[in-house]
Amino acid sequence: EGNIAAMKRNMRNMAAPPVEKGKTIVPDTPDFYTLADLNKDEHFPSDAKKIVFGYKKDYDVDALGLQENGTLGAIEFYNNGGEEYYILSEKEICLGGSLDAMFDSYDLTELDLSNFNTDNVDDMSAMFWGCSKLTTLDLSNFNTANVNSMQLMFYGCTALTTLDLSGFDTKKVGSMWYMFAECSLLENIYVGTDFVVSDACDNGDMFLNCEKLPNFDPNVTDKTKAHTGAGGYLTLK
C-alpha cells in the first residue's frame, strides 16, 4: 500500500501546474455536502463490493435486511451486515466542491449513483481511480458544467468496456491528464457535443494504453485524438 500511495503522489506531482480552481457555487438548498461530510465516519469503506446512492422510496430496507448506520441531515446510511452499503434519501443527495479520489482503489463490483447531484462539484480528479472490478458505470445523471479537473478520473478501470459520457459538459475542464489511462478493455467512449477539450491544457497520456479504442495509435495518447471525427478515439452519441 505504501508503494501505491507513493506512486499516486509522484503521478500527481508530475502533472502540469495545477489548474486554478473556480469558485465553488453555494446552492440555495441546505442539503449540500462535501465528500468529507459524507464519508467522515466511513459509511462506504474501500472494501465495499456494492455502494448505492439511491432514493429511499425505491428500497424496502426491512426486506433487504439493512441496518441503519447513522444519518446526515436527510441522508440515511445503511449496511447489509456485509459488503453492501446504501446511502439513501427522500431528496437528491447534493454534493459540492471536490470529489477527488472519492472511490479511489475501491474493491467495487457494483456502483449505483442514481441519486447523485453534482451540480456544484468542481473537481472529479481520480474519482474512480483503480476501480478495476467495475464492469459498468452509469453517469447519465452527472452535471459536469462546473468541473475544472478530471485528471486520472478513470485511471486503471481495467474491466470497463464502455463509457457513456454523452451528458458530460467539459467546457471548463482544464486538466484531463491520464483521464482514461490504463483502461485497457475500453472499446467505446460515447460523448455529446459538449465534450470539448479546447481548455484542457494539461492532457498528457489521456488515453495511455487504451488499446481497444477505435483508431488507437500508441504514439498519440494526449488530447489530439479526443474527438469524434475521422481518426478520433471518441464516438458521438
Side-chain angles (χ1 to χ4, degrees), residues 59-67 78:
Y59 296 88
D60 187 332
V61 296
D62 293 326
L64 291 170
L66 301 182
Q67 305 162 10
Y78 295 89

Side-chain angles (χ1 to χ4, degrees), residues 162-218:
T162 299
L163 266 176
D164 187 344
L165 308 182
S166 56
F168 273 36
D169 180 341
T170 61
K171 297 185 189 73
K172 294 183 180 179
V173 178
S175 180
M176 292 182 172
W177 181 76
Y178 272 68
M179 183 174 176
F180 305 104
E182 305 298 344
C183 290
S184 54
L185 295 184
L186 197 55
E187 297 177 356
N188 288 289
I189 302 172
Y190 294 101
V191 299
T193 55
D194 286 331
F195 192 97
V196 295
V197 297
S198 53
D199 285 344
C201 55
D202 182 5
N203 60 82
D205 284 330
M206 184 176 177
F207 299 100
L208 181 69
N209 292 332
C210 295
E211 299 172 354
K212 293 187 178 295
L213 286 178
N215 308 306
F216 183 72
D217 179 348

Side-chain angles (χ1 to χ4, degrees), residues 8-76:
K8 290 179 179 179
R9 285 195 300 272
N10 289 338
M11 289 184 71
R12 288 178 182 275
N13 291 337
M14 284 168 56
V19 178
E20 183 179 351
K21 299 276 186 182
K23 182 179 180 181
T24 299
I25 298 171
V26 179
D28 295 330
T29 171
D31 296 320
F32 171 69
Y33 306 102
T34 66
L35 179 55
D37 293 331
L38 200 62
N39 203 24
K40 64 181 179 181
D41 295 318
E42 294 193 352
H43 288 298
F44 44 99
S46 59
D47 60 354
K49 299 296 185 186
K50 177 180 180 178
I51 295 177
V52 174
F53 283 80
Y55 289 95
K56 191 175 179 182
K57 63 181 177 60
D58 296 328
Y59 296 88
D60 187 332
V61 296
D62 293 326
L64 291 170
L66 301 182
Q67 305 162 10
E68 187 172 328
N69 285 339
T71 61
L72 177 65
I75 299 174
E76 299 175 3

Side-chain angles (χ1 to χ4, degrees), residues 34-236:
T34 66
L35 179 55
D37 293 331
L38 200 62
N39 203 24
K40 64 181 179 181
D41 295 318
E42 294 193 352
H43 288 298
F44 44 99
S46 59
D47 60 354
K49 299 296 185 186
K50 177 180 180 178
I51 295 177
V52 174
F53 283 80
Y55 289 95
K56 191 175 179 182
K57 63 181 177 60
D58 296 328
Y59 296 88
D60 187 332
V61 296
D62 293 326
L64 291 170
L66 301 182
Q67 305 162 10
E68 187 172 328
N69 285 339
T71 61
L72 177 65
I75 299 174
E76 299 175 3
F77 299 94
Y78 295 89
N79 174 243
N80 73 338
E83 298 170 321
E84 297 183 5
Y85 295 83
Y86 294 75
I87 299 91
L88 306 178
S89 177
E90 298 291 354
K91 301 183 292 183
E92 278 190 325
I93 298 173
C94 298
L95 299 177
S98 174
L99 299 185
D100 184 5
M102 183 171 187
F103 302 107
D104 181 349
S105 301
Y106 271 50
D107 204 28
L108 290 165
T109 57
E110 187 175 348
L111 180 60
D112 181 345
L113 301 175
S114 54
N115 184 5
F116 210 68
N117 183 312
T118 62
D119 292 359
N120 301 286
V121 172
D122 61 17
D123 188 352
M124 292 184 175
S125 301
M127 188 172 178
F128 305 104
W129 170 307
C131 290
S132 59
K133 296 181 181 179
L134 278 180
T135 56
T136 61
L137 188 57
D138 183 354
L139 306 177
S140 58
N141 60 318
F142 270 36
N143 178 354
T144 62
N146 291 306
V147 176
N148 55 52
S149 179
M150 292 183 177
Q151 65 179 23
L152 299 159
M153 186 172 181
F154 303 103
Y155 181 94
C157 290
T158 53
L160 287 177
T161 57
T162 299
L163 266 176
D164 187 344
L165 308 182
S166 56
F168 273 36
D169 180 341
T170 61
K171 297 185 189 73
K172 294 183 180 179
V173 178
S175 180
M176 292 182 172
W177 181 76
Y178 272 68
M179 183 174 176
F180 305 104
E182 305 298 344
C183 290
S184 54
L185 295 184
L186 197 55
E187 297 177 356
N188 288 289
I189 302 172
Y190 294 101
V191 299
T193 55
D194 286 331
F195 192 97
V196 295
V197 297
S198 53
D199 285 344
C201 55
D202 182 5
N203 60 82
D205 284 330
M206 184 176 177
F207 299 100
L208 181 69
N209 292 332
C210 295
E211 299 172 354
K212 293 187 178 295
L213 286 178
N215 308 306
F216 183 72
D217 179 348
N219 297 310
V220 185
T221 59
D222 62 2
K223 73 174 184 180
T224 303
K225 295 202 172 187
H227 62 79
T228 60
Y233 296 160
L234 308 179
T235 304
L236 183 63

